[in-house]
Amino acid sequence: MQQPGVIVVGSGQGGFQLATSLRDEGYQGPVTLVGEEPGLPYQRPPLSKSFLAGKTDAGQIELRPAAFYAERNIALIAPDRVTNIDRGARRVTLASGASLAYEHLVLATGARARMPAVAGVNLQGVLALRTRADAQALLGRLREARRLVVVGAGFIGLEVAVMARQLGLEVRVIEFADRALLRAVSATTADYLAQAQLARGVEFSMGTGVTAFTGGGGRVEAVLTTGGESVAADLVVVGIGVEPNVELATSAGLQVQAGIVVDRHLATSDPFISAIGDCARYPAGYCDAPVRIESVQNAVDQARCVAARIVGKAEPYAKVPWFWSDQGDNRLQIAGLAEAGDSAVLRGDPAAGKFSVLRFRDGRLSAVESINSAADHMAARKLLAAGTPISSTQAADPSVKLAALVAP
Ligand SMILES: Cc1cc2nc3c(=O)[nH]c(=O)nc-3n(C[C@H](O)[C@H](O)[C@H](O)COP(=O)(O)OP(=O)(O)OC[C@H]3O[C@@H](n4cnc5c(N)ncnc54)[C@H](O)[C@@H]3O)c2cc1C
């Protein structure tokens, strides 16, 4: 019988990195990556960016070629799904019927797109964007569509809106909140990005919900709104957030609370099971409540942290979160994590298309949002990691280089 090794559930960004980092750390036992999506592990960010623009194809977004897994002795089982965890026996069961033993199990199950519970959501042409298959379906329809409605002015919605305008579609974004990116960035940054979209011809209906999708012959033809409007659409992309994939953890009796609950070391309530990435809720030092973060950085750094612990180099997870979003000519980069009540200090001039917004909580820097200002972003990551004090006067003065404030 094969010696039990590490089994990773989910072959997305976090799962891939976990398996890779285990080998980088010199782990000698079996490493098995089980993924329910077909094909090789791939990156999701291009799905709403270069892939939709037709600038990269399915092969170019793969994280590594097939040979990489063989060279590293990583067993990739895909497509297959882990359907059950027997914690007592330390075994998992796969949909294919296989049963595998583990010495450590890592849940990297990610999240799935949330869909509104309204009539017509299953009509053809109403799509979400989470997987490579979703992006391929969307790409095909974008070529034929003329009128796109994007539901939700979050990162994915805004990125898709820009792309669709570039392809010449009429685009309307419908957002329930009264501004874009409500939970993610300050009003200054959100307004700048929304204005850039307006200038490109994207229309917005803010403070507006969707009550139904209507259609004919099984295909979407319009979106009905809480404002009583019927917005014509031959394509709808829903970008209203995600639901973490926690069902496997729940049925295994692990602690779950809007995400798989993990400790500072990213261990679940079972010490032989860890959880990382979009599915995991962890106690971040700089926030009052535990957080679940959806970003490549978070999935990658958490994977590295757990891989190191498995080989005996346990350290609490304490990386500064960072994120990016590309919207046409604008690159937004965020370092840190802001909360709704954090104050905002503007640095630079939005009219110049280049600025940062520094967020403060209780007088301490909590996050920095940078538009086309990579130097500010890189410095911000270092300032946040070091906990370097910075005043709002320094923050607002572009002649004070943030990098110069970083302790040597
Ligand atoms: C369109 C799009 C654009 C994005 N853009 C950015 C960006 O610009 N910057 C950024 O930082 N982040 C971006 N993100 C977010 C980023 O891609 C995610 O945060 C990251 O992929 C999370 O990695 P993960 O491994 O936790 O989850 P995922 O990458 O979602 O992988 C989880 C995998 O587990 C599989 N799975 C679930 N349950 C099981 C099971 N029981 N058995 C087997 N397999 C299972 C899922 O099918 C999935 O393949 C974007 C996401 C999307 C969808």
Side-chain angles (χ1 to χ4, degrees), residues 9-15 34-37 44-45 47-49 80-82 108-111 129-130 156 245 248 276-278 294-296 299 323-324:
V9 188
S11 59
Q13 190 83 50
V34 186
E36 65 183 346
E37 290 186 65
R44 292 184 203 280
L47 298 182
S48 50
K49 306 176 182 74
D80 207 340
R81 183 176 170 74
V82 175
T109 50
L129 179 53
R130 178 74 195 178
I156 291 177
N245 291 323
L248 189 62
I276 59 169
D278 282 15
E294 297 156 21
S295 78
V296 167
F323 180 83
W324 79 95

Side-chain angles (χ1 to χ4, degrees), residues 173-188:
V173 178
I174 296 177
E175 166 58 53
F176 191 71
D178 57 12
R179 71 160 167 91
L181 300 170
L182 183 66
R183 285 175 306 130
V185 296
S186 63
T188 304

